[in-house]
């Protein structure tokens, strides 16, 4: 997302590379005339849901995530980075906006679950419209805000089982959340 003549412009890029690698390549068309550009990963919803007015980047953080391989949710961590120029290549160094909470569960009987809910007992918002301020052209990762959501998020797991062997599940939570405890 970037600005062209004061209007927010966004484009979708495709990530290629090997899963689990630290580096990858994005392919797409850079919007013409854009000044500072910021990248958001993963994209949730349409690229129109990601915007910038030059003073902040806004994106949607979903309430529900779907479990995949090794009980890791698909598109778990929202990240933002400024697109930089080096040697005629556009480089992006992403930073995670949220932290991870690992929940390890066991059960004396084998249980299959469809949905696991995390509730912030202090009422902190865990999903919604996320705003990352831009200060002096750089994302201000320490002052993000969430609006329009609630204090509960979900992991959806159609084939997830809990038994006597401990299994870990991961929730992404914004900074400052869970400061008064949580319930699963």
């Amino acid at each position: 997302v970037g600005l062209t003549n004061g209007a927010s412009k966004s484009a979708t890029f495709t990530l290629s590379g090997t899963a689990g690698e630290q580096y990858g390549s994005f392919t797409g068309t850079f919007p013409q005339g854009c000044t500072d550009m910021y990248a958001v990963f993963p994209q949730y919803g349409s690229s129109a849901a990601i915007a910038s007015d030059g003073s902040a980047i806004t994106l949607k953080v979903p309430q529900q995530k779907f479990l995949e391989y090794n009980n890791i949710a698909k598109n778990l961590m929202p990240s933002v980075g400024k697109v930089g120029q080096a040697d005629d290549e556009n480089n992006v160094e992403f930073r995670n906006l949220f932290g991870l909470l690992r929940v390890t569960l066991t059960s004396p009987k084998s249980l299959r679950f469809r949905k696991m809910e995390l509730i912030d007992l202090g009422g902190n918002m865990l999903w919604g419209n996320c705003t990352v301020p831009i200060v002096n052209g750089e994302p201000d990762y320490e002052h993000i805000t969430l609006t329009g959501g609630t204090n509960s998020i979900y992991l959806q797991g159609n084939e997830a089982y809990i038994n006597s062997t401990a299994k870990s599940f991961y929730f992404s939570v914004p900074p400052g959340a869970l400061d008064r405890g949580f319930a699963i």
Side-chain angles (χ1 to χ4, degrees):
V1 67
L3 285 178
T4 302
N5 298 325
S8 180
K9 295 287 184 181
S10 60
T12 301
F13 289 74
T14 302
L15 174 63
S16 60
T18 306
E21 293 293 319
Q22 187 174 0
Y23 299 95
S25 297
F26 290 92
T27 306
T29 304
F30 204 81
Q32 284 190 325
C34 279
T35 53
D36 288 339
M37 286 292 296
Y38 304 92
V40 175
F41 181 82
Q43 177 181 322
Y44 175 73
S46 71
S47 60
I50 301 168
S52 177
D53 62 2
S55 67
I57 302 160
T58 57
L59 60 135
K60 304 258 185 222
V61 175
Q63 182 178 28
Q64 186 168 297
K65 305 275 178 111
F66 295 91
L67 290 178
E68 297 226 335
Y69 182 73
N70 283 336
N71 298 324
I72 303 292
K74 182 177 182 179
N75 298 335
L76 181 64
M77 294 294 292
S79 304
V80 168
K82 183 174 181 181
V83 178
Q85 296 280 342
D87 301 326
D88 296 326
E89 292 183 19
N90 294 318
N91 296 307
V92 181
E93 184 178 317
F94 287 97
R95 290 180 108 186
N96 292 333
L97 301 179
F98 289 13
L100 284 179
L101 171 69
R102 182 175 86 179
V103 176
T104 302
L105 301 174
T106 62
S107 173
K109 297 192 309 186
S110 183
L111 300 173
R112 183 176 131 189
F113 77 87
R114 296 196 190 285
K115 182 165 52 172
M116 187 183 309
E117 180 180 18
L118 173 74
I119 301 168
D120 182 299
L121 297 179
N124 294 304
M125 201 165 298
L126 299 177
W127 68 278
N129 300 312
C130 182
T131 301
V132 181
I134 299 171
V135 178
N136 297 324
E138 297 295 327
D140 181 358
Y141 298 105
E142 295 184 23
H143 295 97
I144 66 169
T145 58
L146 284 170
T147 58
T150 64
N151 67 327
S152 67
I153 53 178
Y154 303 94
L155 288 180
Q156 192 77 27
N158 293 331
E159 297 298 323
Y161 289 89
I162 302 170
N163 55 35
S164 60
T165 303
K167 273 196 180 165
S168 294
F169 301 90
Y170 298 88
F171 290 91
S172 58
V173 294
L178 313 180
D179 60 343
R180 294 187 190 156
F182 63 92
I184 297 285

